[in-house]
Amino acid sequence: MSAEPRRSLSAAEVAALTGGRLVGPSDTRVAAIAPLDRAGPGDLSFLASARYLPYLERSRASVLLCVESLATAAGDTARIIVADPHAALLAVLAVLYPAPAWTPGVHPTAIIGAGTQWSDLVAIGPHVVLGRDVKLGRNVRVGANCVLGDGVTIGDDTELYPQVTCYPGTAVGRRTILHSGVRLGSDGFGFVPGGGSDGAAHRKIPHIGRCVIGDDVEIGANSCVDRGSVDDTVIGDGTKIDNLVHVAHNVHIGKRVMILALAGIAGSCHIGDDVFIGGEVGVSAHCNVGPGARLLVQAGVIGDIAAGATVWGTPARPHRDVLRATATLYRSLDRDGHDDA
Amino acid sequence: MSAEPRRSLSAAEVAALTGGRLVGPSDTRVAAIAPLDRAGPGDLSFLASARYLPYLERSRASVLLCVESLATAAGDTARIIVADPHAALLAVLAVLYPAPAWTPGVHPTAIIGAGTQWSDLVAIGPHVVLGRDVKLGRNVRVGANCVLGDGVTIGDDTELYPQVTCYPGTAVGRRTILHSGVRLGSDGFGFVPGGGSDGAAHRKIPHIGRCVIGDDVEIGANSCVDRGSVDDTVIGDGTKIDNLVHVAHNVHIGKRVMILALAGIAGSCHIGDDVFIGGEVGVSAHCNVGPGARLLVQAGVIGDIAAGATVWGTPARPHRDVLRATATLYRSLDRDGHDDA
Amino acid sequence: MSAEPRRSLSAAEVAALTGGRLVGPSDTRVAAIAPLDRAGPGDLSFLASARYLPYLERSRASVLLCVESLATAAGDTARIIVADPHAALLAVLAVLYPAPAWTPGVHPTAIIGAGTQWSDLVAIGPHVVLGRDVKLGRNVRVGANCVLGDGVTIGDDTELYPQVTCYPGTAVGRRTILHSGVRLGSDGFGFVPGGGSDGAAHRKIPHIGRCVIGDDVEIGANSCVDRGSVDDTVIGDGTKIDNLVHVAHNVHIGKRVMILALAGIAGSCHIGDDVFIGGEVGVSAHCNVGPGARLLVQAGVIGDIAAGATVWGTPARPHRDVLRATATLYRSLDRDGHDDA
């Protein structure tokens, strides 16, 4: 781990922080967190699943967060029994690895357009370019080399990592995190199609809609959200987007949606609240995905998906049907195999 | 919408602009364009398909562009009957939302290499880095923080949004648009493979070919086009590429090709004119795709595709066969289901 | 080709360089390398496969590298018979197209944090931002507009193309190449999930692990490697990664792995040495892929894969089984077709 821990905690203090039950010595101290196989004296580690028992032997962790069913496996190491070791870890991380402090200020190499305003405190990094009439809220941090076009607004406590681009008019909410290389508000892929026998050109449709990102959103590295054509593109509050995701023009995404890496949502889709979209999923244009639906890895959605449905495959179908169909196909294969023999 | 309209039009003027037939009051004025469900007084909206009729009730648009078959649905609102509302919109957009003016000039923070030239007028943004012997045509705009290597050429009227990279020797045509984060001319993925029992290293093949982009091309945010190894990589005139697309070394892409987001074209493929490549499609190395072919969403192409063919699935097959095969598979599933009952 | 050749070679010298057998005139000279169909007098070209014989007619190359079986096709052109024309090309490329020289130095617009150190010689480009306590080895080149966070370390002879971001604590080995737009060390997609009937927020898991890149690695344009949550994310020596690839938190990738464009490796996967991962492949979280396995284009891996296995499809199965299953399905389709007739 690269981050330097700032202080240490006793096993009893870890138990109090996590609401767990301590088994073993209460005065053992930890100053850092490490994975089982690399944990040494002074480290806190965690055991969430029997899958990781093989690593336990190599572990020299001083204190272990673990679930009840695995508590006896750890011998006489100080253990703290919790329902969910990953959630418990959050409380300890906040104490041992507090978020790095940041220094407010505007770097002298930043270029600031006329009419641009911010609320103290802000941090504007080196070589940042802000257009005209940009509005930054309180505690906004804009990383090195970011470029924000005219009229962009960024809400309080939002952080932009280096090299983010916001096209003119983009609006970003509060407590949102934009990772490096995120592009917000680029023109959607909209053309009046040409081609045909006369080889007419595709004519570009100008885009006048906005890209609107809610509060408490996180968008991963190099992901792209286009602006709307006439309507806006909207990402709802609390939605989390992984790396290299594409969200096209006029898409409306609800609250607390999870979108994994390399997924693509085509134009004018509506994605309900609490939807889960797996890695490399594709959703075709104009599809509605109901609240709570789950689109499994690499699914290809070409029609509407009902609320709460779990779908897989291309074209996406109910998960259970896909499992039965592939089982049937491969069972017939086994039969054919016997026939051949 | 973020963009501010500059002027207003009467319904009669809209009809004249779009070549449409006006029904209803001719002196109603509009100053902005909005989607049906959000349009208010003074807004022009559009109704292209019966799918959007439910939004019509909520609409308070002053003027509506619509197709003949839906013209009666809109009550006594001023309507303009056109064959294609999206195409008609182009004419109105150009008047109500003219492209933003740009200010020519070279920002004092730009770094300009020896021998680099441009034709007036150009706009070179803050923190741009131009190598040696770069050539920019007339009306070229290079957005903030772009980096253009030695010997790059950019044709007249081409626009680079912020944070684009062109590796040395890249050539870009006229009236082309490169969105933020586009990478042109990076080395292709070419190695003399190692591995095997002795664990030999993969040896990098130096890339000396160019990346050549035609006229009237648009390339979406964070898309990548590699340079050729010995041959060039070529994107034909009028081709449009969406976000997060990968085009590998030595690929030749024809004219007016459409490539949707997250598609990947592997090395040395030849893609004919007017091909349509859907989102998340993959084309394996050395494949030829004939003119006018259509590769549907997520198709995986592993061999040549005939001109005009429509293919789907992995490995890609004729669309009709894929539909029949999956229908057969799921029908047998239904039968099995009955057998089980 | 954009690169200017610096010198010329006789056919005899090419034969000596490549360890090949010369047939034809030994004093013919070449100064450049070109693909068959564009090669003219003074050019060296190559013929590695019968697939390219149609181009041979158009070729005016002065010297040809070719395999034994095609040697007679080239008439009386000077030919050099080699086992692997692509490997032979490497030796000639190194002489005719030596790597461009670079000028050491620190550009005056670079921003350098306190405690940052380097070993001569280095090249730090315009508008680069280096945080505190960054360590650069000898011959490190950092391209224009790169941003390296606090505590980043870069090994000897490593090159970063423009616009790369390394988050704080990232460690990169020696002789490694990072293409433009690469993002190393961004937070992984880790949340304690919320949702459910009360609409609880997803809670972000702070990431304290590092992103560690080995020696002799190459990472393509706009690819992303997240930092670990508690453990590190590790890319082994000699591994080559194409454009637009996603590597999630806590992933361990072995040596000499090849990962093609648009592939995604989800969290905590372990990928063995010498694995081949095709374009647009997806590997789900917590999967182990054994050494030497081959995951073919667009495969979707949802479980462990044995060493040396070749798999395809979603869910990924042995390649042979997938071929048999699809053959069976489409054969039944043919039968159904006959039945219908």
Side-chain angles (χ1 to χ4, degrees):
Chain A
M1 293 137 298
S2 63
E4 290 294 318
R6 314 288 168 83
R7 47 169 300 194
S8 73
L9 292 168
S10 70
E13 288 172 317
V14 173
L17 267 172
T18 59
R21 181 165 59 84
L22 173 65
V23 179
S26 65
D27 56 348
T28 310
R29 297 195 76 79
V30 289
I33 302 177
L36 265 187
D37 54 335
R38 287 169 39 201
D43 286 343
L44 173 77
S45 196
F46 53 100
L47 178 62
S49 142
R51 163 200 285 265
Y52 295 105
L53 278 174
Y55 296 112
L56 188 60
E57 272 180 51
R58 278 184 269 162
S59 183
R60 298 166 61 215
S62 295
V63 179
L64 206 61
L65 287 167
C66 64
V67 291
E68 180 79 55
S69 60
L70 301 171
T72 56
D76 52 7
T77 305
R79 281 144 288 158
I80 295 158
I81 316 297
V82 293
D84 179 347
H86 287 109
L89 213 53
L90 284 190
V92 188
L93 277 164
V95 175
L96 291 184
Y97 300 85
W102 54 279
T103 309
V106 179
H107 197 276
T109 57
I111 307 294
I112 315 282
T116 283
Q117 304 170 7
W118 50 81
S119 311
D120 279 336
L121 306 170
V122 294
I124 299 177
H127 306 130
V128 166
V129 179
L130 305 181
R132 295 161 189 241
D133 300 313
V134 172
K135 286 189 178 47
L136 308 180
R138 286 195 313 136
N139 298 325
V140 165
R141 285 156 285 165
V142 181
N145 291 17
C146 286
V147 179
L148 278 59
D150 296 349
V152 168
T153 64
I154 309 282
D156 295 346
D157 303 301
T158 282
E159 177 163 19
L160 282 66
Y161 281 93
Q163 319 236 39
V164 168
T165 306
C166 296
Y167 279 60
T170 298
V172 179
R174 295 168 295 169
R175 298 175 302 278
T176 281
I177 298 171
L178 304 179
H179 281 285
S180 189
V182 163
R183 316 297 172 192
L184 300 183
S186 47
D187 291 348
F189 194 76
F191 301 90
V192 176
S197 56
D198 60 344
H202 305 306
R203 284 186 295 157
K204 179 177 175 67
I205 299 176
H207 277 59
I208 61 170
R210 289 184 305 165
C211 173
V212 180
I213 311 293
D215 297 336
D216 302 300
V217 171
E218 182 160 350
I219 303 183
N222 284 350
S223 286
C224 302
V225 183
D226 284 342
R227 70 189 302 175
S229 52
V230 169
D231 199 356
D232 294 333
T233 306
V234 180
I235 310 285
D237 295 343
T239 283
K240 311 295 184 184
I241 297 178
D242 201 352
N243 297 342
L244 292 164
V245 166
H246 164 71
V247 179
H249 55 183
N250 310 325
V251 169
H252 287 219
I253 292 181
K255 299 181 184 188
R256 296 175 302 278
V257 173
M258 292 275 201
I259 308 180
L260 269 69
L262 290 160
I265 318 293
S268 302
C269 289
H270 282 64
I271 311 290
D273 295 342
D274 299 301
V275 167
F276 171 88
I277 299 180
E280 298 184 343
V281 163
V283 184
S284 296
H286 295 283
C287 292
N288 295 309
V289 178
R294 298 174 59 80
L295 318 181
L296 303 186
V297 56
Q298 293 186 329
V301 171
I302 61 169
D304 291 350
I305 301 293
T310 297
V311 300
W312 202 21
T314 303
R317 293 170 183 267
H319 185 212
R320 165 179 297 206
D321 290 357
V322 175
L323 293 181
R324 285 179 62 210
T326 50
T328 299
L329 177 60
Y330 281 88
R331 199 165 54 223
S332 75
L333 183 65
D334 291 343
R335 281 200 299 260
D336 283 12
H338 285 296
D339 289 350
D340 291 347
Chain B
M1 293 136 298
S2 62
E4 290 294 317
R6 313 288 167 83
R7 48 170 296 194
S8 72
L9 293 168
S10 71
E13 288 172 318
V14 173
L17 266 171
T18 60
R21 180 165 59 85
L22 172 66
V23 179
S26 65
D27 57 348
T28 310
R29 296 195 77 79
V30 290
I33 302 177
L36 264 187
D37 53 336
R38 287 169 39 201
D43 285 343
L44 172 76
S45 196
F46 52 100
L47 179 60
S49 142
R51 163 199 285 263
Y52 295 104
L53 278 174
Y55 297 112
L56 188 59
E57 273 181 51
R58 277 183 270 163
S59 183
R60 298 165 62 215
S62 295
V63 178
L64 207 60
L65 288 167
C66 64
V67 291
E68 180 80 54
S69 60
L70 301 171
T72 56
D76 53 5
T77 304
R79 281 142 288 159
I80 294 159
I81 317 296
V82 293
D84 179 348
H86 288 108
L89 212 52
L90 285 190
V92 188
L93 277 165
V95 175
L96 291 184
Y97 300 85
W102 54 279
T103 311
V106 179
H107 198 275
T109 58
I111 307 293
I112 315 281
T116 284
Q117 304 170 5
W118 50 80
S119 310
D120 280 337
L121 306 169
V122 295
I124 299 177
H127 306 131
V128 166
V129 179
L130 305 181
R132 295 161 190 241
D133 299 314
V134 172
K135 285 187 180 47
L136 308 180
R138 287 196 312 136
N139 298 324
V140 166
R141 286 156 283 165
V142 181
N145 291 16
C146 285
V147 179
L148 278 59
D150 295 349
V152 168
T153 64
I154 310 283
D156 294 347
D157 304 301
T158 283
E159 177 163 18
L160 282 66
Y161 281 93
Q163 320 237 41
V164 168
T165 305
C166 296
Y167 279 60
T170 298
V172 179
R174 296 168 295 169
R175 298 175 303 278
T176 281
I177 298 171
L178 304 179
H179 281 285
S180 189
V182 163
R183 316 299 172 190
L184 300 182
S186 47
D187 290 348
F189 194 75
F191 301 90
V192 176
S197 56
D198 60 344
H202 305 305
R203 284 186 296 157
K204 180 177 175 68
I205 298 175
H207 277 59
I208 61 170
R210 290 184 305 165
C211 173
V212 180
I213 311 294
D215 297 337
D216 302 300
V217 171
E218 182 160 350
I219 304 184
N222 284 348
S223 286
C224 303
V225 183
D226 285 342
R227 70 189 303 174
S229 52
V230 169
D231 200 354
D232 294 334
T233 306
V234 180
I235 309 286
D237 295 345
T239 283
K240 311 295 185 185
I241 297 179
D242 201 353
N243 298 341
L244 292 163
V245 167
H246 164 71
V247 179
H249 54 183
N250 309 325
V251 169
H252 287 219
I253 293 181
K255 298 181 185 189
R256 296 174 304 277
V257 173
M258 292 276 203
I259 308 181
L260 270 69
L262 291 159
I265 317 292
S268 303
C269 289
H270 283 63
I271 311 291
D273 295 344
D274 299 301
V275 167
F276 171 88
I277 299 181
E280 298 185 344
V281 164
V283 184
S284 297
H286 295 283
C287 291
N288 296 309
V289 177
R294 298 175 59 81
L295 318 181
L296 303 185
V297 56
Q298 292 185 330
V301 171
I302 60 170
D304 291 350
I305 302 292
T310 297
V311 299
W312 202 21
T314 303
R317 292 169 183 268
H319 184 213
R320 165 178 297 205
D321 290 357
V322 175
L323 292 180
R324 285 179 63 210
T326 51
T328 299
L329 178 61
Y330 280 88
R331 198 167 54 225
S332 75
L333 183 65
D334 290 342
R335 280 200 300 262
D336 283 11
H338 284 295
D339 290 350
D340 291 346
Chain C
M1 293 137 298
S2 63
E4 289 294 317
R6 314 286 169 84
R7 47 170 297 195
S8 72
L9 293 168
S10 70
E13 288 171 318
V14 173
L17 266 171
T18 59
R21 181 165 57 86
L22 172 66
V23 179
S26 65
D27 56 348
T28 311
R29 296 195 76 79
V30 290
I33 302 178
L36 264 188
D37 53 335
R38 288 169 39 201
D43 286 343
L44 173 77
S45 196
F46 52 99
L47 179 61
S49 141
R51 164 199 285 263
Y52 294 105
L53 278 174
Y55 297 112
L56 187 59
E57 273 180 51
R58 277 184 270 161
S59 183
R60 298 166 62 216
S62 295
V63 178
L64 207 61
L65 288 167
C66 65
V67 291
E68 180 80 55
S69 60
L70 301 171
T72 56
D76 52 7
T77 305
R79 282 143 288 158
I80 294 158
I81 316 296
V82 292
D84 179 348
H86 287 108
L89 212 53
L90 285 190
V92 187
L93 277 164
V95 174
L96 291 184
Y97 300 85
W102 54 279
T103 310
V106 179
H107 197 276
T109 58
I111 308 293
I112 315 281
T116 283
Q117 303 170 6
W118 50 79
S119 311
D120 280 338
L121 306 170
V122 295
I124 299 177
H127 307 131
V128 165
V129 180
L130 304 182
R132 295 162 189 239
D133 300 314
V134 172
K135 285 188 178 48
L136 308 180
R138 286 194 313 135
N139 297 324
V140 166
R141 284 156 285 165
V142 181
N145 291 16
C146 285
V147 179
L148 278 58
D150 296 347
V152 168
T153 64
I154 309 283
D156 295 346
D157 303 302
T158 283
E159 177 163 18
L160 282 67
Y161 280 93
Q163 320 236 41
V164 168
T165 306
C166 297
Y167 279 60
T170 298
V172 179
R174 296 168 294 169
R175 297 175 302 278
T176 281
I177 298 170
L178 304 179
H179 282 286
S180 189
V182 163
R183 316 298 173 191
L184 300 182
S186 47
D187 291 348
F189 194 76
F191 300 91
V192 176
S197 55
D198 60 344
H202 305 305
R203 284 185 295 157
K204 180 177 175 66
I205 299 175
H207 277 59
I208 61 170
R210 289 184 304 166
C211 173
V212 180
I213 310 294
D215 297 336
D216 302 300
V217 171
E218 182 159 351
I219 304 184
N222 284 348
S223 286
C224 303
V225 183
D226 284 342
R227 69 188 302 175
S229 52
V230 169
D231 199 354
D232 293 334
T233 306
V234 179
I235 309 286
D237 295 344
T239 283
K240 311 296 184 185
I241 297 178
D242 201 351
N243 297 342
L244 292 164
V245 166
H246 164 71
V247 179
H249 54 183
N250 310 324
V251 169
H252 287 219
I253 293 180
K255 299 181 184 187
R256 294 175 304 277
V257 173
M258 292 275 202
I259 308 181
L260 270 69
L262 291 159
I265 318 291
S268 302
C269 289
H270 282 64
I271 310 291
D273 295 343
D274 298 301
V275 167
F276 171 88
I277 299 180
E280 297 183 345
V281 163
V283 184
S284 296
H286 295 283
C287 292
N288 296 308
V289 177
R294 296 174 61 80
L295 317 181
L296 302 186
V297 56
Q298 293 185 330
V301 171
I302 61 169
D304 292 350
I305 302 292
T310 297
V311 299
W312 202 21
T314 303
R317 293 169 183 267
H319 184 212
R320 166 179 297 205
D321 290 356
V322 175
L323 293 181
R324 286 179 62 210
T326 49
T328 300
L329 177 61
Y330 280 87
R331 198 165 55 224
S332 75
L333 183 65
D334 290 343
R335 281 199 299 262
D336 283 12
H338 285 295
D339 289 351
D340 290 348

